[in-house]
């Protein structure tokens, strides 16, 4: 049996589930909603000025979101907005250790520190925009070096 949770004013564009069971949704209405397990909207984050297209949540509860407004932002309940970087982001994925990987209209995956918002490295990947990302952790380590990065490209390819 399915249930509908409704509180966004427009399309829902991204979903993430925290380790605490909270559900995070982002949408064209420029908001991120945090939902309890029963479908009640607990909080609305209004940190972006345009549609939010990408969203990820770390085990520590840090929310990273990329928006059409050209900003990648990290937020936590305890700290509020932790950091903001001006860059286009089409997709986000995070490791359990909090390393943030983002794709954009460029054929590059950027690797960020969740704690500081600094770019750790830029990985060339494919030859088109990176529209989807996923990771395979290839060892017991959660470091960026231990992750195999897969990116789905607008050119019709999956780059590794």
């Amino acid at each position: 049996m399915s249930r509908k949770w409704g509180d966004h004013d427009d399309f829902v564009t991204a979903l993430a589930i925290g380790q605490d069971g909270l559900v995070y949704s982002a949408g064209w209405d420029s908001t991120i909603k945090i939902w309890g397990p029963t479908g009640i909207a607990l909080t609305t984050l209004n940190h972006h000025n345009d549609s939010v297209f990408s969203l990820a949540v770390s085990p520590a509860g840090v929310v990273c979101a990329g928006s059409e407004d050209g900003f990648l932002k990290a937020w936590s309940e305890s700290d509020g907005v932790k950091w903001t970087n001006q860059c286009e982001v089409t997709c986000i994925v995070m490791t359990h250790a909090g390393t943030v990987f983002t794709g954009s209209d460029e054929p590059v995956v950027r690797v960020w520190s969740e704690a500081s918002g600094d770019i750790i490295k830029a990985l060339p990947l494919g030859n088109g925009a990176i529209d989807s990302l996923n990771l395979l952790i290839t060892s017991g380590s959660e470091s960026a070096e231990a992750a195999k990065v897969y990116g789905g490209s607008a050119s019709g390819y999956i780059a590794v």
Side-chain angles (χ1 to χ4, degrees), residues 136-160:
L136 174 64
I137 305 300
T138 57
S139 74
S141 171
E142 282 287 326
S143 72
E145 289 76 26
K148 185 178 274 191
V149 181
Y150 293 80
S153 152
S155 61
Y157 295 98
I158 296 172
V160 181

Side-chain angles (χ1 to χ4, degrees), residues 56-71:
V57 181
S58 76
V62 174
V63 178
C64 285
S67 169
E68 184 74 12
D69 65 9
F71 287 94

Side-chain angles (χ1 to χ4, degrees), residues 10-99:
D10 212 327
F11 290 104
V12 174
T13 55
L15 294 171
I17 299 173
Q19 287 198 320
D20 54 6
L22 297 178
V23 176
Y24 299 77
S25 62
W28 278 10
D29 60 3
S30 307
T31 67
I32 297 168
K33 306 275 186 185
I34 303 174
W35 305 81
T38 61
I40 296 172
L42 305 174
T43 304
T44 299
L45 306 177
N46 294 298
H47 299 303
H48 287 281
N49 296 319
D50 208 337
S51 301
V52 180
F53 288 122
S54 52
L55 178 66
V57 181
S58 76
V62 174
V63 178
C64 285
S67 169
E68 184 74 12
D69 65 9
F71 287 94
L72 170 66
K73 296 184 180 187
W75 176 91
S76 73
E77 190 169 354
S78 59
D79 300 328
V81 175
K82 291 176 58 111
W83 50 265
T84 299
N85 280 301
Q86 188 167 3
C87 67
E88 183 175 331
V89 174
T90 55
C91 50
I92 302 172
V93 66
M94 297 172 78
T95 66
H96 288 288
T99 304

